[in-house]
Amino acid sequence: TRAAGSRRRRSPRRRDRRRAAAGCGGGEILRLGFRAFGGPRRRRRRLPDPPGVATLRTGRDLLAARLAAHGKRVFDVRGDGACQFRAVAHGLWGTESHHALVRRQALAALDARRPPFHDCEVYASDADGDLCTLDVGDDVEAYLRALADDRAWGDQNTLQACADAFRCRVLLVTTHADNFELRIEPADDRAAVSEIWVGFHSECHYVAAVDVA
């Protein structure tokens, strides 16, 4: 059994074809059950492996097509582990450079309103750009500490926390097979004061979404 907070390197190619056939974790955000996403609650789970190269290629096309249906196009952000926070920052201010501020504010909101469930692993990109997972188990403190790392990947809880921290409605378009368009509102029925669009290549990469010129 690994101690909470231990890192291990993960190969993004392992079991990719089997995961791709199963939908690359399609619907995981919805099924995890944060109320804003409208799904049933579900216990903590191990993370699925990221999709393989072929799935990445087709997934980009699928995400672009789904965003285009809303008059939006992909605006890519840096994939350094902070892509969710970069995409939210771009949606709020038109630049991804404030991603560290978004992470800090989101984690403050998440700490103040602890999630009822969380993943027992957190994805992270190491200094060489390789994928690692940080084992946090059932320890919510370890989970929050892991997410504070500037290379830790955001998840369904941090995206809800972004909506809470900035009182923004997040319109999320994903490559999931089902329930691929999700609307995330600030918690406690607080009215959103802004609205942003975000794209998600499922289990892999968040992007900003901007109006088609």
Side-chain angles (χ1 to χ4, degrees):
T1 303
R2 291 179 178 271
S6 62
R7 284 183 184 272
R8 63 187 174 89
R9 192 177 298 273
R10 188 170 195 158
S11 169
R13 293 183 295 275
R14 186 180 50 164
R15 298 193 302 275
D16 280 343
R17 291 183 180 177
R18 189 170 65 208
R19 294 289 185 182
C24 296
E28 289 294 347
I29 287 182
L30 187 70
R31 292 201 303 272
L32 275 163
F34 222 67
R35 278 195 298 269
F37 293 90
R41 292 186 179 277
R42 177 179 167 180
R43 292 189 178 277
R44 289 175 292 273
R45 62 176 175 86
R46 292 283 171 181
L47 293 171
D49 291 329
V53 174
T55 307
L56 284 173
R57 189 176 300 114
T58 57
R60 290 192 189 102
D61 293 339
L62 176 61
L63 184 57
R66 287 178 172 174
L67 285 170
H70 296 282
K72 303 290 180 181
R73 63 176 176 85
V74 170
F75 184 94
D76 204 6
V77 298
R78 187 175 176 184
D80 58 355
C83 59
Q84 183 190 95
F85 306 100
R86 289 177 179 276
V88 171
H90 192 280
L92 291 170
W93 300 298
T95 174
E96 62 184 272
S97 61
H98 301 307
H99 64 91
L101 171 63
V102 172
R103 186 189 291 268
R104 287 196 303 271
Q105 296 290 90
L107 290 183
L110 195 57
D111 188 30
R113 186 186 181 90
R114 299 290 179 92
F117 300 103
H118 65 269
D119 292 330
C120 52
E121 294 177 326
V122 173
Y123 278 147
S125 299
D126 68 14
D128 298 321
D130 294 324
L131 177 66
C132 295
T133 53
L134 185 64
D135 292 331
V136 297
D138 293 338
D139 188 345
V140 68
E141 297 291 347
Y143 170 68
L144 292 173
R145 286 195 302 271
L147 288 172
D149 188 297
D150 61 4
R151 291 183 177 273
W153 296 17
D155 61 11
Q156 74 287 342
N157 289 329
T158 56
L159 194 56
Q160 176 66 60
C162 287
D164 295 344
F166 297 99
R167 288 187 61 185
C168 66
R169 176 182 300 115
V170 181
L171 300 175
L172 180 68
V173 179
T174 79
T175 58
H176 292 329
D178 302 303
N179 303 308
F180 54 82
E181 295 182 354
L182 306 173
R183 176 174 169 153
I184 307 159
E185 299 281 354
D188 297 328
D189 297 321
R190 291 183 301 160
V193 298
S194 62
E195 181 177 279
I196 65 173
W197 287 76
V198 174
F200 180 45
H201 188 301
S202 304
E203 313 301 347
C204 182
H205 184 54
Y206 284 89
V207 298
V210 298
D211 291 337
V212 174

